[in-house]
């Protein structure tokens, strides 16, 4: 779908909305590095078309977040009892 997103024909219609929602969803599922890359791309209007930057810019405000419990679990798996070690 990404190849079709750059076509002017699909800038403002129902198919474009569906394709962009799928693209943003997929970027979020790929992980934080891809979300950050898309957020960076959204700020580069000198490199990408305005409609691409506008759509990727949605990730600035509406990216999926995870809970503190998830963060705590990952940190504990990586560093053991990180709070007792003074890593907080």
């Amino acid at each position: 779908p990404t190849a079709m997103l750059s076509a002017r024909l699909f800038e403002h219609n129902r198919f474009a909305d569906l394709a962009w929602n799928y693209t943003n969803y997929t970027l979020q599922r790929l992980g934080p590095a891809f979300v950050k890359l898309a957020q960076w791309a959204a700020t580069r209007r000198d490199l990408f078309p305005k409609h691409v930057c506008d759509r990727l810019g949605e990730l600035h405000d509406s990216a999926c977040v995870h809970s503190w419990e998830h963060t705590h679990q990952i940190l504990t798996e990586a560093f053991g009892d990180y709070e007792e070690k003074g890593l907080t």
Side-chain angles (χ1 to χ4, degrees):
T2 306
M4 290 187 279
L5 295 176
S6 63
R8 288 218 170 276
L9 178 62
F10 299 111
E11 279 187 31
H12 302 289
N13 65 29
R14 194 175 246 174
F15 176 77
D17 290 339
L18 178 64
W20 275 109
N21 288 339
Y22 176 75
T23 300
N24 284 346
Y25 172 81
T26 302
L27 286 167
Q28 292 178 66
R29 293 291 153 244
L30 288 171
F34 286 89
V35 172
K36 277 295 171 197
L37 181 62
Q39 288 172 337
W40 168 83
T43 65
R44 297 305 310 260
R45 293 181 185 269
D46 58 326
L47 299 176
F48 301 103
K50 180 187 181 309
H51 73 279
V52 172
C53 294
D54 290 343
R55 294 294 187 139
L56 291 176
E58 295 170 9
L59 291 172
H60 287 293
D61 296 323
S62 64
C64 293
V65 296
H66 59 265
S67 66
W68 170 249
E69 289 79 21
H70 177 74
T71 301
H72 180 69
Q73 176 188 354
I74 297 298
L75 289 173
T76 302
E77 289 173 7
F79 301 110
D81 193 1
Y82 67 95
E83 291 174 334
E84 283 186 15
K85 294 178 182 176
L87 299 176
T88 57

